[in-house]
Amino acid sequence: EDKVVQSPLSLVVHEGDTVTLNCSYEVTNFRSLLWYKQEKKAPTFLFMLTSSGIEKKSGRLSSILDKKELFSILNITATQTGDSAIYLCAVPDPNTGNQFYFGTGTSLTVIP
Amino acid sequence: EAQVTQNPRYLITVTGKKLTVTCSQNMNHEYMSWYRQDPGLGLRQIYYSMNVEVTDKGDVPEGYKVSRKEKRNFPLILESPSPNQTSLYFCASSEGQGAGGANVLTFGAGSRLTVL
């Protein structure tokens, strides 16, 4: 049973476009959701959203959490070629706090 | 620099030849974990450790062993590798449950393993 589902699986856009990446989750007693960016190597942390922090923004990237509908979106405005990466969504198991459920990721390619 | 270090970064081996992928972190993190990443399947957890001498199975532990004798090190052992263990492996660590900033994983650079 999938606990974290991301869509779309892949996306190709032109520089300057705005993209929205989706992450839906099915986790009882939800506590937090994390977004990571993975370029050619290790995933790097972008945002963590919790019950008390349902919206985060950093430059051209922003993310919101809808606890009622059980999803999060990651928005990237004015995309650049450097935004090309796999974007991963993860939800920690609320019972253990340290076992993570990852989505399969969205592969974003930004064309000049 | 705060980091998670994995070695080797690339390895080609043959079926049945035991190998160890080392992982070390310098952030005094209590929690460490191993993942494998395969196309279409995303990151899947192999084993994790909440602290020294405490390890637990993740979603795909078969064919792997781990140990946590020291806080900073968490090696992944493949006793008898098989071709279906060809994958990209990541080690990660975090401060652990309950701490400020908990659940934010710091990943190593990855180890690409090919088993022939």
Side-chain angles (χ1 to χ4, degrees):
Chain A
E1 179 186 351
D2 287 335
K3 292 185 181 291
V4 180
V5 178
Q6 292 186 246
S7 63
L9 289 180
S10 70
L11 198 53
V12 181
V13 301
H14 288 96
E15 267 192 319
D17 287 350
T18 293
V19 298
T20 299
L21 311 182
N22 303 291
C23 175
S24 64
Y25 61 90
E26 188 177 322
V27 177
T28 309
N29 299 322
F30 169 86
R31 291 174 64 183
S32 61
L33 180 147
L34 294 85
W35 283 97
Y36 286 85
K37 177 182 181 182
Q38 184 179 15
E39 294 174 89
K40 292 195 184 293
K41 41 185 182 178
T44 53
F45 172 71
L46 293 174
F47 298 118
M48 181 164 70
L49 301 153
T50 66
S51 301
S52 58
I54 61 172
E55 186 168 353
K56 294 286 177 72
K57 184 176 171 62
S58 176
R60 295 177 296 102
L61 276 67
S62 63
S63 183
I64 64 169
L65 175 70
D66 188 323
K67 282 187 64 183
K68 182 179 178 184
E69 300 298 331
L70 307 183
F71 75 89
S72 173
I73 64 169
L74 177 67
N75 244 32
I76 308 175
T77 59
T79 52
Q80 303 170 356
T81 55
D83 295 326
S84 295
I86 297 173
Y87 290 84
L88 298 167
C89 172
V91 176
D93 185 317
N95 297 316
T96 66
N98 281 302
Q99 193 167 5
F100 290 80
Y101 302 112
F102 279 87
T104 54
T106 293
S107 176
L108 173 65
T109 302
V110 181
I111 302 172
Chain B
E1 179 189 354
Q3 61 185 358
V4 178
T5 304
Q6 296 178 226
N7 280 297
R9 294 287 314 283
Y10 302 91
L11 179 64
I12 300 174
T13 189
V14 295
T15 298
K17 187 174 182 181
K18 180 180 178 179
L19 68 92
T20 299
V21 186
T22 63
C23 174
S24 180
Q25 50 93 5
N26 62 1
M27 297 166 281
N28 202 36
H29 283 170
E30 291 189 348
Y31 174 83
M32 298 186 74
S33 182
W34 277 102
Y35 294 86
R36 60 177 290 174
Q37 187 175 39
D38 303 288
L41 297 176
L43 280 163
R44 293 181 294 168
Q45 192 168 40
I46 303 171
Y47 270 94
Y48 65 97
S49 169
M50 303 282 278
N51 213 325
V52 175
E53 301 292 2
V54 179
T55 62
D56 282 294
K57 295 178 180 179
D59 296 319
V60 288
E62 294 78 20
Y64 305 95
K65 289 173 66 175
V66 292
S67 68
R68 188 88 183 275
K69 297 177 182 175
E70 305 165 285
K71 197 171 189 177
R72 64 183 291 126
N73 296 322
F74 191 46
L76 179 69
I77 303 158
L78 285 73
E79 293 273 1
S80 182
S82 62
N84 64 13
Q85 292 178 298
T86 292
S87 187
L88 178 60
Y89 291 86
F90 287 103
C91 181
S93 72
S94 77
E95 291 180 10
Q97 187 177 17
N103 299 330
V104 177
L105 290 170
T106 300
F107 285 86
S111 297
R112 187 167 291 282
L113 170 65
T114 301
V115 183
L116 302 175

Coordinates of all heavy atoms in Angstrom, one line a residue, chain A residues 27-103:
Chain A
V27 N -1.2 8.8 5.9 CA -0.4 8.4 7.2 C -1.3 8.9 8.3 O -1.6 10.0 8.5 CB 0.9 9.1 7.2 CG1 1.7 8.8 8.5 CG2 1.8 8.7 6.0
T28 N -1.6 7.9 9.2 CA -2.4 8.2 10.4 C -1.6 9.0 11.4 O -0.4 8.8 11.5 CB -2.9 6.9 11.0 OG1 -3.5 6.1 10.1 CG2 -3.9 7.2 12.2
N29 N -2.2 10.0 12.0 CA -1.5 10.8 13.0 C -0.4 11.5 12.4 O 0.7 11.6 13.0 CB -1.1 10.0 14.2 CG -2.2 9.3 15.0 OD1 -3.3 9.9 15.1 ND2 -2.0 8.1 15.4
F30 N -0.6 12.1 11.3 CA 0.4 12.8 10.5 C 1.1 13.9 11.4 O 0.4 14.6 12.2 CB -0.2 13.5 9.3 CG 0.6 14.5 8.6 CD1 1.5 14.0 7.6 CD2 0.6 15.8 8.9 CE1 2.3 14.9 7.0 CE2 1.4 16.7 8.3 CZ 2.2 16.3 7.3
R31 N 2.4 14.0 11.2 CA 3.2 15.0 12.0 C 3.9 16.0 11.1 O 3.9 17.2 11.3 CB 4.1 14.4 12.9 CG 3.5 13.6 14.1 CD 4.5 12.9 14.9 NE 5.5 13.8 15.6 CZ 6.5 13.3 16.3 NH1 6.7 12.1 16.5 NH2 7.3 14.2 16.9
S32 N 4.5 15.5 10.0 CA 5.3 16.4 9.2 C 5.5 15.8 7.8 O 5.3 14.6 7.6 CB 6.7 16.7 9.8 OG 7.4 15.5 10.0
L33 N 5.9 16.6 6.9 CA 6.2 16.2 5.5 C 7.4 17.0 5.0 O 7.5 18.2 5.3 CB 4.9 16.5 4.6 CG 5.0 16.2 3.1 CD1 3.6 15.8 2.6 CD2 5.6 17.3 2.3
L34 N 8.3 16.3 4.3 CA 9.5 17.0 3.9 C 9.6 16.9 2.4 O 9.2 15.9 1.8 CB 10.7 16.3 4.5 CG 10.9 16.4 6.0 CD1 10.1 15.3 6.8 CD2 12.4 16.3 6.4
W35 N 10.2 17.9 1.8 CA 10.6 18.0 0.4 C 12.1 18.0 0.3 O 12.8 18.8 1.0 CB 10.0 19.2 -0.3 CG 8.5 19.2 -0.6 CD1 7.5 19.7 0.2 CD2 7.9 18.6 -1.7 NE1 6.3 19.4 -0.4 CE2 6.5 18.7 -1.6 CE3 8.4 17.9 -2.8 CZ2 5.6 18.3 -2.6 CZ3 7.5 17.4 -3.8 CH2 6.1 17.6 -3.6
Y36 N 12.6 17.2 -0.7 CA 14.0 17.2 -1.0 C 14.2 17.4 -2.5 O 13.4 17.0 -3.3 CB 14.6 15.8 -0.6 CG 14.8 15.6 0.8 CD1 13.8 15.1 1.6 CD2 16.0 15.8 1.5 CE1 13.9 14.9 3.0 CE2 16.2 15.6 2.8 CZ 15.2 15.1 3.6 OH 15.3 14.9 4.9
K37 N 15.4 17.9 -2.8 CA 15.8 18.0 -4.2 C 17.0 17.1 -4.5 O 18.0 17.2 -3.7 CB 16.2 19.5 -4.5 CG 16.7 19.7 -5.9 CD 17.1 21.2 -6.1 CE 17.6 21.4 -7.5 NZ 18.1 22.8 -7.7
Q38 N 16.9 16.3 -5.5 CA 18.0 15.4 -5.8 C 18.5 15.7 -7.2 O 17.9 15.4 -8.2 CB 17.6 13.9 -5.7 CG 18.7 13.0 -5.9 CD 18.3 11.5 -5.8 OE1 17.1 11.2 -5.8 NE2 19.2 10.6 -5.7
E39 N 19.7 16.2 -7.3 CA 20.4 16.4 -8.6 C 21.2 15.2 -8.9 O 20.7 14.1 -8.7 CB 21.2 17.7 -8.5 CG 20.3 18.9 -8.4 CD 21.0 20.2 -8.2 OE1 21.3 20.9 -9.2 OE2 21.3 20.6 -7.0
K40 N 22.4 15.3 -9.2 CA 23.1 14.0 -9.6 C 23.6 13.2 -8.5 O 24.0 12.1 -8.6 CB 24.3 14.4 -10.5 CG 23.9 15.0 -11.9 CD 25.0 15.0 -12.8 CE 24.6 15.6 -14.2 NZ 23.6 14.8 -14.9
K41 N 23.4 13.7 -7.3 CA 23.9 12.9 -6.1 C 22.9 12.9 -5.0 O 21.8 12.4 -5.2 CB 25.3 13.4 -5.7 CG 25.4 15.0 -5.7 CD 26.8 15.4 -5.3 CE 26.9 16.9 -5.3 NZ 28.2 17.4 -4.9
A42 N 23.3 13.3 -3.8 CA 22.5 13.1 -2.6 C 21.3 14.1 -2.6 O 21.4 15.2 -3.0 CB 23.3 13.4 -1.4
P43 N 20.2 13.6 -2.1 CA 19.0 14.5 -1.9 C 19.4 15.6 -0.9 O 20.0 15.3 0.1 CB 17.9 13.6 -1.3 CG 18.3 12.2 -1.8 CD 19.8 12.2 -1.8
T44 N 19.0 16.8 -1.2 CA 19.2 17.9 -0.3 C 17.9 18.4 0.2 O 16.9 18.5 -0.6 CB 20.0 19.0 -0.9 OG1 19.4 19.4 -2.1 CG2 21.5 18.5 -1.2
F45 N 17.8 18.8 1.5 CA 16.6 19.2 2.1 C 16.1 20.6 1.6 O 16.9 21.5 1.4 CB 16.9 19.3 3.6 CG 15.7 19.9 4.4 CD1 14.6 19.2 4.6 CD2 15.9 21.2 5.0 CE1 13.5 19.8 5.3 CE2 14.9 21.7 5.7 CZ 13.7 21.0 5.9
L46 N 14.8 20.7 1.3 CA 14.2 21.9 0.9 C 13.3 22.5 2.0 O 13.6 23.6 2.5 CB 13.4 21.8 -0.4 CG 14.1 21.4 -1.7 CD1 13.1 21.1 -2.8 CD2 15.1 22.5 -2.0
F47 N 12.3 21.8 2.3 CA 11.3 22.3 3.3 C 10.8 21.2 4.2 O 10.7 20.0 3.8 CB 10.0 22.9 2.5 CG 10.3 24.0 1.6 CD1 10.0 23.9 0.3 CD2 10.7 25.2 2.1 CE1 10.2 24.9 -0.6 CE2 10.9 26.3 1.3 CZ 10.7 26.1 -0.1
M48 N 10.4 21.6 5.4 CA 9.6 20.7 6.2 C 8.3 21.4 6.6 O 8.4 22.6 7.0 CB 10.4 20.3 7.5 CG 9.6 19.3 8.4 SD 10.5 18.5 9.6 CE 10.9 19.8 10.7
L49 N 7.2 20.7 6.4 CA 5.9 21.3 6.7 C 5.3 20.5 7.9 O 5.3 19.3 7.8 CB 5.0 21.3 5.5 CG 5.5 22.0 4.3 CD1 5.0 21.4 3.0 CD2 5.2 23.5 4.4
T50 N 4.7 21.2 8.8 CA 4.1 20.5 10.0 C 2.7 21.1 10.2 O 2.3 22.1 9.6 CB 5.0 20.7 11.2 OG1 5.0 22.0 11.6 CG2 6.4 20.2 11.0
S51 N 2.1 20.7 11.3 CA 0.8 21.2 11.7 C 0.9 22.7 11.9 O -0.1 23.4 11.7 CB 0.3 20.5 12.9 OG 0.2 19.1 12.7
S52 N 2.0 23.1 12.5 CA 2.2 24.5 12.8 C 2.9 25.3 11.8 O 3.0 26.5 11.9 CB 2.9 24.7 14.2 OG 4.2 24.1 14.0
G53 N 3.3 24.7 10.7 CA 3.9 25.4 9.6 C 3.5 24.9 8.3 O 4.2 24.0 7.7
I54 N 2.4 25.3 7.8 CA 1.8 24.7 6.6 C 2.2 25.4 5.3 O 1.7 25.0 4.2 CB 0.3 24.6 6.7 CG1 -0.3 26.1 6.9 CG2 -0.1 23.8 7.9 CD1 -1.9 26.1 6.8
E55 N 3.0 26.5 5.4 CA 3.4 27.2 4.2 C 4.9 27.6 4.4 O 5.2 28.2 5.4 CB 2.5 28.4 3.9 CG 2.8 29.0 2.6 CD 1.8 30.1 2.2 OE1 0.7 30.1 2.9 OE2 2.0 30.8 1.2
K56 N 5.7 27.3 3.4 CA 7.1 27.7 3.5 C 7.5 28.3 2.1 O 6.9 27.9 1.1 CB 8.0 26.5 3.7 CG 7.8 25.9 5.1 CD 8.4 26.7 6.2 CE 8.2 26.2 7.6 NZ 9.0 25.0 7.9
K57 N 8.4 29.2 2.2 CA 8.9 29.9 0.9 C 10.3 30.2 1.0 O 10.9 30.6 2.0 CB 8.1 31.2 0.7 CG 8.4 31.9 -0.6 CD 7.5 33.1 -0.8 CE 7.9 34.0 -1.9 NZ 7.8 33.3 -3.2
S58 N 11.0 29.9 -0.1 CA 12.4 30.3 -0.2 C 12.7 30.6 -1.6 O 12.8 29.8 -2.5 CB 13.3 29.1 0.2 OG 14.7 29.4 0.1
G59 N 12.9 31.9 -1.8 CA 13.2 32.4 -3.2 C 12.0 32.1 -4.1 O 10.9 32.4 -3.9
R60 N 12.4 31.3 -5.2 CA 11.4 31.0 -6.2 C 10.6 29.7 -5.8 O 9.7 29.3 -6.6 CB 12.1 30.8 -7.6 CG 12.7 32.0 -8.1 CD 13.4 31.8 -9.4 NE 14.6 30.9 -9.2 CZ 14.6 29.6 -9.6 NH1 13.5 29.0 -10.1 NH2 15.6 28.8 -9.3
L61 N 11.0 29.1 -4.8 CA 10.3 27.8 -4.3 C 9.4 28.1 -3.2 O 9.7 28.9 -2.3 CB 11.4 26.8 -3.9 CG 12.0 25.9 -5.0 CD1 12.9 26.8 -5.9 CD2 12.8 24.8 -4.3
S62 N 8.2 27.5 -3.2 CA 7.3 27.6 -2.1 C 6.5 26.3 -2.0 O 6.4 25.5 -3.0 CB 6.3 28.7 -2.3 OG 5.5 28.5 -3.5
S63 N 6.0 26.0 -0.8 CA 5.3 24.8 -0.6 C 4.2 25.0 0.4 O 4.3 25.8 1.3 CB 6.3 23.7 0.0 OG 5.6 22.5 0.1
I64 N 3.1 24.3 0.2 CA 2.0 24.4 1.1 C 1.5 23.0 1.5 O 1.8 22.0 0.7 CB 0.8 25.2 0.6 CG1 0.2 24.5 -0.7 CG2 1.1 26.6 0.3 CD1 -1.1 25.1 -1.1
L65 N 0.9 22.9 2.6 CA 0.4 21.6 3.1 C -1.1 21.8 3.4 O -1.6 22.7 4.0 CB 1.1 21.3 4.4 CG 0.6 20.0 5.2 CD1 1.0 18.8 4.4 CD2 1.2 20.0 6.6
D66 N -1.9 20.8 2.8 CA -3.3 20.8 3.1 C -3.6 19.5 3.9 O -3.7 18.4 3.4 CB -4.1 20.7 1.8 CG -5.6 20.9 2.0 OD1 -6.1 20.3 3.0 OD2 -6.2 21.5 1.1
K67 N -3.7 19.8 5.2 CA -3.9 18.6 6.1 C -5.2 18.0 6.0 O -5.4 16.8 6.3 CB -3.7 19.1 7.6 CG -2.2 19.2 8.0 CD -2.1 19.5 9.5 CE -2.6 18.3 10.3 NZ -2.6 18.6 11.7
K68 N -6.2 18.8 5.6 CA -7.5 18.2 5.4 C -7.6 17.3 4.2 O -8.2 16.2 4.3 CB -8.5 19.4 5.2 CG -10.0 18.9 5.1 CD -10.9 20.1 5.0 CE -12.3 19.6 4.8 NZ -13.3 20.8 4.6
E69 N -7.0 17.7 3.1 CA -7.1 16.9 1.9 C -5.9 15.9 1.8 O -5.7 15.2 0.8 CB -7.2 17.8 0.7 CG -8.4 18.7 0.7 CD -9.7 17.9 0.6 OE1 -9.7 16.7 0.1 OE2 -10.7 18.3 1.1
L70 N -5.0 16.0 2.7 CA -3.8 15.1 2.8 C -2.9 15.2 1.6 O -2.5 14.2 0.9 CB -4.2 13.7 3.0 CG -5.2 13.4 4.2 CD1 -5.4 11.9 4.3 CD2 -4.6 13.9 5.5
F71 N -2.5 16.5 1.3 CA -1.5 16.6 0.2 C -0.7 17.9 0.4 O -1.0 18.7 1.2 CB -2.2 16.6 -1.2 CG -2.9 17.9 -1.5 CD1 -2.2 19.0 -2.1 CD2 -4.2 18.1 -1.2 CE1 -2.9 20.2 -2.4 CE2 -4.9 19.3 -1.5 CZ -4.2 20.3 -2.1
S72 N 0.4 17.9 -0.3 CA 1.3 19.1 -0.3 C 1.6 19.4 -1.8 O 1.7 18.5 -2.6 CB 2.6 18.8 0.5 OG 3.5 19.9 0.4
I73 N 1.9 20.6 -2.1 CA 2.4 21.0 -3.4 C 3.7 21.8 -3.2 O 3.9 22.5 -2.2 CB 1.4 21.8 -4.2 CG1 1.1 23.1 -3.6 CG2 0.1 21.0 -4.4 CD1 0.3 24.1 -4.5
L74 N 4.6 21.6 -4.2 CA 5.8 22.4 -4.3 C 5.7 23.2 -5.6 O 5.5 22.6 -6.7 CB 7.0 21.4 -4.3 CG 8.4 22.1 -4.5 CD1 8.7 22.9 -3.3 CD2 9.5 21.0 -4.8
N75 N 5.8 24.5 -5.4 CA 5.7 25.4 -6.6 C 7.1 26.0 -6.9 O 7.8 26.4 -6.0 CB 4.8 26.6 -6.2 CG 3.6 26.6 -7.0 OD1 3.1 25.6 -7.5 ND2 3.1 27.8 -7.3
I76 N 7.4 26.0 -8.1 CA 8.7 26.7 -8.6 C 8.3 27.7 -9.6 O 7.7 27.3 -10.7 CB 9.7 25.7 -9.1 CG1 9.9 24.5 -8.2 CG2 11.0 26.4 -9.4 CD1 10.9 23.4 -8.7
T77 N 8.6 28.9 -9.4 CA 8.2 30.0 -10.4 C 9.5 30.3 -11.1 O 10.6 30.1 -10.7 CB 7.7 31.2 -9.7 OG1 8.7 31.7 -8.8 CG2 6.4 30.9 -8.9
A78 N 9.3 30.9 -12.3 CA 10.4 31.4 -13.2 C 11.5 30.3 -13.2 O 12.7 30.6 -12.9 CB 11.0 32.7 -12.7
T79 N 11.2 29.1 -13.6 CA 12.2 28.0 -13.6 C 13.4 28.3 -14.4 O 13.4 29.0 -15.4 CB 11.5 26.7 -14.1 OG1 11.0 27.0 -15.4 CG2 10.5 26.2 -13.2
Q80 N 14.5 27.7 -13.9 CA 15.8 27.8 -14.5 C 16.4 26.4 -14.7 O 15.9 25.5 -14.1 CB 16.8 28.6 -13.6 CG 16.3 30.0 -13.2 CD 17.1 30.6 -12.1 OE1 18.0 30.0 -11.5 NE2 16.8 31.9 -11.8
T81 N 17.4 26.3 -15.6 CA 17.9 25.0 -15.9 C 18.5 24.3 -14.6 O 18.5 23.1 -14.5 CB 19.0 25.1 -17.0 OG1 20.0 26.0 -16.6 CG2 18.4 25.5 -18.3
G82 N 19.0 25.1 -13.7 CA 19.5 24.6 -12.4 C 18.4 24.0 -11.6 O 18.7 23.3 -10.6
D83 N 17.1 24.2 -11.9 CA 16.1 23.5 -11.2 C 15.8 22.1 -11.6 O 15.1 21.3 -11.0 CB 14.8 24.3 -11.3 CG 14.8 25.7 -10.7 OD1 15.5 25.9 -9.7 OD2 14.2 26.6 -11.3
S84 N 16.5 21.7 -12.7 CA 16.3 20.3 -13.2 C 16.9 19.3 -12.1 O 18.0 19.4 -11.7 CB 17.1 20.1 -14.5 OG 16.6 20.9 -15.5
A85 N 16.0 18.4 -11.7 CA 16.3 17.5 -10.6 C 15.2 16.6 -10.4 O 14.1 16.7 -11.1 CB 16.6 18.3 -9.3
I86 N 15.4 15.6 -9.5 CA 14.2 14.8 -9.0 C 13.8 15.4 -7.7 O 14.7 15.7 -6.8 CB 14.6 13.4 -8.8 CG1 15.0 12.7 -10.2 CG2 13.5 12.6 -8.2 CD1 15.6 11.3 -10.0
Y87 N 12.5 15.7 -7.5 CA 12.0 16.2 -6.3 C 11.3 15.1 -5.5 O 10.4 14.5 -6.0 CB 11.1 17.4 -6.6 CG 11.9 18.6 -7.1 CD1 12.2 18.7 -8.5 CD2 12.4 19.6 -6.3 CE1 13.0 19.7 -9.0 CE2 13.1 20.6 -6.7 CZ 13.4 20.7 -8.1 OH 14.2 21.8 -8.6
L88 N 11.7 14.9 -4.3 CA 11.2 13.9 -3.5 C 10.4 14.4 -2.3 O 10.7 15.4 -1.7 CB 12.4 13.1 -2.9 CG 13.3 12.4 -3.9 CD1 14.6 11.9 -3.2 CD2 12.6 11.2 -4.5
C89 N 9.3 13.7 -2.0 CA 8.5 14.0 -0.9 C 8.6 12.9 0.1 O 8.7 11.7 -0.3 CB 7.1 14.1 -1.4 SG 5.8 14.3 -0.2
A90 N 8.7 13.2 1.4 CA 8.8 12.1 2.4 C 8.0 12.5 3.6 O 7.9 13.6 4.0 CB 10.3 12.0 2.8
V91 N 7.4 11.4 4.2 CA 6.6 11.6 5.4 C 7.2 10.6 6.5 O 7.2 9.4 6.2 CB 5.1 11.3 5.2 CG1 4.3 11.3 6.5 CG2 4.6 12.2 4.2
P92 N 7.6 11.1 7.6 CA 8.1 10.2 8.7 C 6.9 9.5 9.3 O 5.8 10.0 9.4 CB 8.7 11.2 9.7 CG 8.8 12.5 9.0 CD 7.8 12.5 8.0
D93 N 7.2 8.2 9.6 CA 6.2 7.4 10.3 C 5.9 8.1 11.7 O 6.8 8.2 12.4 CB 6.8 6.0 10.5 CG 5.8 5.0 11.1 OD1 5.1 5.4 12.1 OD2 5.7 3.9 10.7
P94 N 4.7 8.4 11.9 CA 4.4 9.2 13.2 C 4.6 8.3 14.4 O 4.8 8.9 15.5 CB 3.0 9.6 13.0 CG 2.4 8.6 12.1 CD 3.5 8.2 11.1
N95 N 4.6 7.0 14.3 CA 4.8 6.2 15.5 C 6.3 6.1 15.9 O 6.6 6.1 17.1 CB 4.3 4.8 15.2 CG 2.8 4.8 14.9 OD1 2.0 5.5 15.6 ND2 2.3 4.1 13.9
T96 N 7.1 5.9 14.9 CA 8.6 5.8 15.2 C 9.3 7.2 15.1 O 10.3 7.4 15.8 CB 9.3 4.8 14.3 OG1 9.3 5.4 12.9 CG2 8.6 3.5 14.3
G97 N 8.8 8.0 14.3 CA 9.4 9.3 14.1 C 10.6 9.3 13.2 O 11.0 10.3 12.6
N98 N 11.2 8.1 13.0 CA 12.4 8.0 12.2 C 12.4 7.0 11.1 O 13.4 6.8 10.5 CB 13.6 7.7 13.2 CG 14.0 9.0 13.9 OD1 14.3 10.0 13.3 ND2 13.9 8.9 15.2
Q99 N 11.3 6.4 10.8 CA 11.1 5.6 9.6 C 10.4 6.4 8.6 O 9.3 6.9 8.9 CB 10.4 4.3 9.9 CG 10.5 3.3 8.9 CD 10.0 1.9 9.3 OE1 9.5 1.8 10.4 NE2 10.2 0.9 8.5
F100 N 11.0 6.6 7.4 CA 10.5 7.5 6.5 C 9.8 6.8 5.3 O 10.3 5.8 4.8 CB 11.6 8.4 5.9 CG 12.1 9.4 6.9 CD1 13.0 9.0 7.9 CD2 11.7 10.7 6.9 CE1 13.5 9.9 8.8 CE2 12.2 11.6 7.8 CZ 13.1 11.2 8.8
Y101 N 8.7 7.4 4.8 CA 8.1 6.9 3.6 C 8.3 7.9 2.5 O 7.9 9.1 2.6 CB 6.6 6.7 3.8 CG 6.3 5.8 5.0 CD1 5.7 6.2 6.1 CD2 6.6 4.4 4.8 CE1 5.4 5.3 7.2 CE2 6.3 3.5 5.9 CZ 5.7 4.0 7.0 OH 5.5 3.1 8.1
F102 N 9.0 7.5 1.5 CA 9.3 8.4 0.3 C 8.4 8.1 -0.8 O 8.0 7.0 -1.1 CB 10.8 8.2 -0.1 CG 11.8 8.9 0.7 CD1 12.3 8.3 1.8 CD2 12.2 10.2 0.3 CE1 13.3 8.9 2.6 CE2 13.2 10.8 1.1 CZ 13.7 10.2 2.2
G103 N 8.0 9.2 -1.6 CA 7.4 9.0 -2.8 C 8.4 8.6 -3.9 O 9.6 8.6 -3.6

